[in-house]
Amino acid sequence: MPEKGHGIPLRNSRNKWLSRLLRWSVSSICWTSYIIYRGWVVGQIKFDPREGKMIIHPRNIWTKRVALLVKIFALVCDYSIIAYLIMAFIPMFITPEESLFDNLIDAIGVQISLWNTGRLYYWLNSLSWNRSFVNRVNDVIRVDAHLKSILGPPTLEGISLLILYVLHLQFALLQTFNHPYIMVILNTLLLELVCNAYVAYQMLLLSWIAAINRFLKDFQQEQQPNRKQRKKLLRLLRVYAKISNVHQDIKLLWLPVASMLFSNIVELVDNWSSIIGCLFFHHLNVMEKWSIIFWKYLGGALAPLLRILLIGLFNDRLVQVQGFLNFQLLLIDLRHEKTKQQDMSFTSELKNLQTCFDLQLRAQPIRNQIMSVNQVCGRPFVLNFFFCTVLNSISCVQYIMANGHKLL
């Protein structure tokens, strides 16, 4: 028979590995996004290595002017931008009448892309948005440091989510190559910057709540928790209250960006209808079909769907860990009757914090909203969005074939 605690070294080794993986993945996501953000010369956000936090630091005026001239020069040299703008506003005059439906779909997609690009660029350059973003990032850094001082380094929760994120990045990169227009590439890049920051926060958020859950599990198994453990429990419940407040603030920054994740359903429908038409209604060999789909439509068809799926899976995981947290607190309340009699001050404070937790869980639970505060991005929303995309794509194929038009 193995001795008690025989598997502890192996568990500690696994925890160290998961902790390093979390640190490396979050750091790589944040630093890559930060380098691209600074390289595009937008906004005034800068990382201060001495303070270990984000600050507002105005750009050098000459750097801004040179960068603006380079951006204008790049747009002027890209002759396709003229066709892109014409496609957006007068689609019925640039091609024959029989393809008007395709042109209208393209025009709506272009208008949404231009609108989203303008909003993203305005936010990234807005001083008020920059200040809010800096404050929220610094809040996340403080909470992470506070929780690390209590429980040690958190570990990665959900390797499958990290793998899905890496897969999504591959298709997002392919999406930039699928489009010949620089405005679509800019829209994809700016949207990825914000989404990457949100994904890094989601990974930290899951690790925080999971770390609290592990402590609560050990605590409720103790027959007689000592004073140090009781004090740590109260500190963790206060930390959770800070996590909840930080999430509600981040939600205000995230919701306007989240609306863009489903607003490009027109482009999704266009890509998927082209893929369906190429697969089933074109007399080409398999390699030719795959080449057309891969280089023209696959990135734009899969990257937005995987992005929404990733946010939905994060939300479902959050629901699970918060439900487990609530269950652990209930067990602690039921099992430690002796503790209640011995330490009345601890019991009173724990009761107040548990009441606050219950109220917060019912009034403002930590969830990933999309579209509005009343719309949660979970499995039902993701399935509805996927179904809507497929149904509209098939309808477009049927309409085009019924009118005798070409699918590609």
Side-chain angles (χ1 to χ4, degrees):
M1 293 291 291
E3 296 180 3
K4 185 178 180 180
H6 178 74
I8 290 179
L10 182 60
R11 186 180 66 180
N12 290 339
S13 176
R14 181 176 180 271
N15 289 341
K16 288 181 180 179
W17 180 79
L18 289 176
S19 178
R20 290 172 183 170
L21 184 58
L22 174 67
R23 186 174 69 252
W24 291 338
S25 56
V26 171
S27 297
S28 60
I29 293 171
C30 293
W31 277 110
T32 302
S33 302
Y34 177 75
I35 291 171
I36 295 175
Y37 167 84
R38 295 291 294 182
W40 271 90
V41 192
V42 292
Q44 303 180 30
I45 300 174
K46 185 178 181 181
F47 180 73
D48 187 353
R50 292 176 298 179
E51 297 291 335
K53 63 179 183 179
M54 307 297 287
I55 60 172
I56 295 293
H57 188 272
R59 298 272 191 167
N60 182 279
I61 186 63
W62 290 106
T63 302
K64 292 173 62 176
R65 289 175 179 175
V66 171
L68 180 61
L69 290 176
V70 171
K71 293 172 187 176
I72 294 175
F73 180 75
L75 288 175
V76 171
C77 291
D78 183 22
Y79 298 107
S80 62
I81 191 66
I82 300 176
Y84 192 75
L85 294 175
I86 293 176
M87 187 194 310
F89 299 108
I90 48 175
M92 61 288 298
F93 298 128
I94 62 175
T95 52
E97 184 179 356
E98 59 267 20
S99 59
L100 180 60
F101 177 77
D102 291 339
N103 296 333
L104 287 175
I105 293 295
D106 291 338
I108 295 173
V110 169
Q111 291 167 7
I112 293 174
S113 177
L114 288 172
W115 173 247
N116 288 343
T117 304
R119 292 169 69 194
L120 284 168
Y121 199 80
Y122 170 77
W123 287 335
L124 292 176
N125 281 280
S126 170
L127 182 58
S128 61
W129 194 90
N130 278 212
R131 284 174 176 166
S132 298
F133 185 83
V134 165
N135 291 334
R136 301 295 78 77
V137 171
N138 290 334
D139 288 340
V140 170
I141 294 174
R142 282 192 291 268
V143 169
D144 187 63
H146 192 183
L147 197 63
K148 190 180 297 183
S149 67
I150 300 174
L151 297 178
T155 59
L156 178 66
E157 292 297 319
I159 296 181
S160 58
L161 295 174
L162 179 60
I163 294 173
L164 181 62
Y165 169 74
V166 174
L167 181 63
H168 147 260
L169 279 184
Q170 306 303 315
F171 286 108
L173 182 63
L174 181 62
Q175 184 181 12
T176 61
F177 291 107
N178 285 163
H179 285 285
Y181 303 116
I182 192 171
M183 291 300 295
V184 178
I185 296 175
L186 181 61
N187 178 47
T188 303
L189 180 63
L190 294 178
L191 185 59
E192 280 300 317
L193 287 179
V194 183
C195 288
N196 285 352
Y198 193 70
V199 167
Y201 161 69
Q202 290 285 299
M203 294 172 66
L204 286 174
L205 179 61
L206 282 176
S207 69
W208 295 341
I209 301 179
I212 296 175
N213 273 331
R214 283 192 294 271
F215 172 80
L216 292 180
K217 184 178 180 180
D218 294 336
F219 184 91
Q220 62 92 11
Q221 291 175 352
E222 291 286 340
Q223 296 298 324
Q224 189 69 29
N226 56 41
R227 185 178 180 83
K228 183 178 180 181
Q229 289 174 314
R230 297 198 298 269
K231 185 177 180 180
K232 184 180 290 188
L233 173 61
L234 297 178
R235 291 178 64 191
L236 288 176
L237 287 177
R238 295 190 191 99
V239 170
Y240 182 85
K242 293 180 181 178
I243 292 173
S244 176
N245 292 334
V246 169
H247 184 80
Q248 303 310 324
D249 292 335
I250 289 176
K251 182 178 65 178
L252 299 179
L253 292 176
W254 168 247
L255 270 177
V257 180
S259 64
M260 301 180 189
L261 298 182
F262 70 91
S263 65
N264 59 359
I265 189 172
V266 176
E267 184 182 353
L268 270 174
V269 168
D270 188 29
N271 285 320
W272 277 107
S273 62
S274 299
I275 290 175
I276 293 172
C278 183
L279 284 175
F280 297 104
F281 303 104
H282 272 268
H283 301 290
L284 301 172
N285 60 50
V286 175
M287 292 304 297
E288 289 175 333
K289 288 182 178 181
W290 171 248
S291 179
I292 292 174
I293 292 173
F294 184 83
W295 291 111
K296 283 189 175 182
Y297 308 110
L298 193 62
L302 288 180
L305 293 181
L306 289 178
R307 200 177 290 127
I308 293 176
L309 175 62
L310 188 64
I311 300 301
L313 291 178
F314 271 123
N315 192 75
D316 290 340
R317 182 64 178 157
L318 279 173
V319 173
Q320 292 176 5
V321 295
Q322 285 193 111
F324 188 58
L325 177 60
N326 195 23
F327 176 69
Q328 298 283 5
L329 290 176
L330 178 61
L331 288 180
I332 291 173
D333 186 54
L334 293 176
R335 292 190 62 180
H336 293 286
E337 295 295 333
K338 293 182 180 179
T339 305
K340 292 182 180 181
Q341 297 173 4
Q342 293 175 358
D343 195 340
M344 295 301 295
S345 62
F346 166 76
T347 302
S348 176
E349 190 168 1
L350 179 61
K351 194 70 175 179
N352 291 335
L353 290 173
Q354 284 181 318
T355 302
C356 293
F357 172 81
D358 291 337
L359 292 174
Q360 178 268 324
L361 197 61
R362 288 166 174 77
Q364 286 187 322
I366 298 177
R367 298 289 185 269
N368 294 326
Q369 271 88 17
I370 194 168
M371 295 169 51
S372 69
V373 293
N374 299 317
Q375 181 70 57
V376 176
C377 182
R379 277 174 293 183
F381 180 88
V382 172
L383 290 175
N384 288 336
F385 188 85
F386 285 11
F387 177 76
C388 183
T389 301
V390 173
L391 185 64
N392 280 278
S393 302
I394 295 174
S395 299
C396 284
V397 172
Q398 290 176 330
Y399 177 84
I400 294 173
M401 292 185 64
N403 286 275
H405 298 160
K406 293 183 179 180
L407 288 166
L408 290 175

